[in-house]
Amino acid sequence: MTGTHEGAGELAPLSREQALAWVSRWDAQQQVYMPEREDRFTALIDAVGEGAGREDPLVLDLGCGPGSLAVRLLDRLPKATVVAVDADPVLLALGRSAWRDRPGLRFAELDMRSGGWAGRLGLDRPADAAVSTTALHWLTARALAALYAEVATVLRPGGLLLDGDHLREDETVSPVLARLGRALIEQAERRHPAADDAETWSGWWDAVAQDPALTELLALRQRLALDTEHHGSPAGLLRTHVDALRAAGFTEIGTLWQLGGNRLLCGVLGG
């Protein structure tokens, strides 16, 4: 999630069919790493539907990638408005081309580590929910705290922050829970082994590099050094997120859905 390049995600001459094919492959390789991905999506959207308090919620999708969560949310809540935020020019190009003219969906290319990004979203009212899946753990603890503080400035009182991610217990505080959390994930992976020919995350990007329609955007992505965000999980501890949410003014914080460290964390903004 690096760089602010408004419109950069629209440079590639992609057809909708090409983009949909790449998004389908993206979803498939993500499912390899997260067999419960759709279950977590469903739980998150259930929480938005129940907690927003209206049929037409305004939802921010943070670190949206090609829009996989955003379109699922709109399928379930067709009167919603989703502002999907990311800075990866390749993934944004795929999302914009795949879901062009999708009612209720708007992509915003912004650096969520830069101060003031929330104010540049151009919202006409406070958001009812901010959601994210498997994106925020790449941030440092300081950047995560700043991001949650930014979200609080555009979220209505009582609004929800819903983060679906792998957030582990702190082994120095809860060693047994941390070990059991890892074990549950490992056992789930053994029960649902990936096919021998399943595409990996790195394999997907290698394939993208062979598509001439994405050459210019991939070069931009490399100049932005986005892959440097994907070395380790600096904000992979549950307590890092809980502490940052509390500091940002979220008064109720807890896990709504969970399989080991794979969880849906919810924060409710105080009024």
Side-chain angles (χ1 to χ4, degrees):
M1 294 184 295
T2 307
T4 301
H5 295 266
E6 294 290 350
E10 299 178 285
L11 295 175
L14 279 175
S15 70
R16 184 170 187 270
E17 291 71 23
Q18 287 175 304
L20 284 170
W22 279 117
V23 173
S24 178
R25 286 177 66 172
W26 171 268
D27 285 341
Q29 58 89 4
Q30 290 286 292
Q31 193 78 16
V32 170
Y33 296 103
M34 293 170 285
E36 300 80 20
R37 182 174 184 250
E38 294 296 336
D39 291 339
R40 196 172 70 186
F41 278 160
T42 297
L44 187 154
I45 297 167
D46 284 345
V48 173
E50 181 67 25
R54 54 193 296 169
E55 293 183 345
D56 60 342
L58 173 58
V59 182
L60 309 181
D61 182 3
L62 310 177
C64 64
S68 300
L69 172 60
V71 296
R72 285 163 174 77
L73 195 150
L74 287 167
D75 286 342
R76 288 271 309 281
L77 304 173
K79 295 182 180 180
T81 296
V82 179
V83 181
V85 187
D86 209 308
D88 189 310
V90 174
L91 297 180
L92 286 170
L94 295 178
R96 285 169 168 156
S97 296
W99 316 118
R100 63 183 57 168
D101 302 322
R102 177 65 186 257
L105 177 59
R106 172 168 69 88
F107 287 92
E109 191 164 358
L110 292 167
D111 180 358
M112 291 187 292
R113 300 172 309 166
S114 299
W117 63 268
R120 295 194 292 275
L121 291 173
L123 305 181
D124 59 5
R125 64 179 174 90
D128 300 289
V131 303
S132 186
T133 57
T134 322
L136 303 184
H137 67 267
W138 301 121
L139 296 171
T140 65
R142 177 178 294 183
L144 180 73
L147 182 145
Y148 284 155
E150 284 268 346
V151 170
T153 67
V154 292
L155 199 63
R156 66 167 175 80
L160 306 179
L161 184 289
L162 294 158
D163 183 25
D165 213 331
H166 286 79
L167 304 176
R168 64 190 185 278
E169 299 283 354
D170 188 341
E171 292 192 48
T172 64
V173 177
S174 305
V176 175
L177 290 178
R179 178 177 61 81
L180 291 176
R182 287 195 304 272
L184 289 180
I185 295 298
E186 291 167 359
Q187 290 178 27
E189 290 172 347
R190 285 195 290 270
R191 284 192 295 270
H192 304 283
D196 291 339
D197 61 348
E199 189 167 49
T200 63
W201 185 88
S202 59
W204 187 88
W205 282 107
D206 289 342
V208 164
Q210 304 306 311
D211 188 337
L214 295 172
T215 299
E216 185 178 355
L217 288 169
L218 189 61
L220 173 59
R221 184 179 190 274
Q222 291 169 341
R223 290 197 297 274
L224 294 173
L226 290 176
D227 281 341
T228 61
E229 298 292 327
H230 286 222
H231 296 303
S233 298
L237 282 179
L238 173 62
R239 74 170 187 176
T240 301
H241 289 254
V242 172
D243 290 347
L245 286 168
R246 186 172 292 116
F250 291 83
T251 54
E252 296 183 44
I253 304 165
T255 296
L256 297 180
W257 176 97
Q258 182 175 13
L259 175 63
N262 183 4
R263 71 182 73 232
L264 174 61
L265 182 65
C266 179
V268 183
L269 187 65

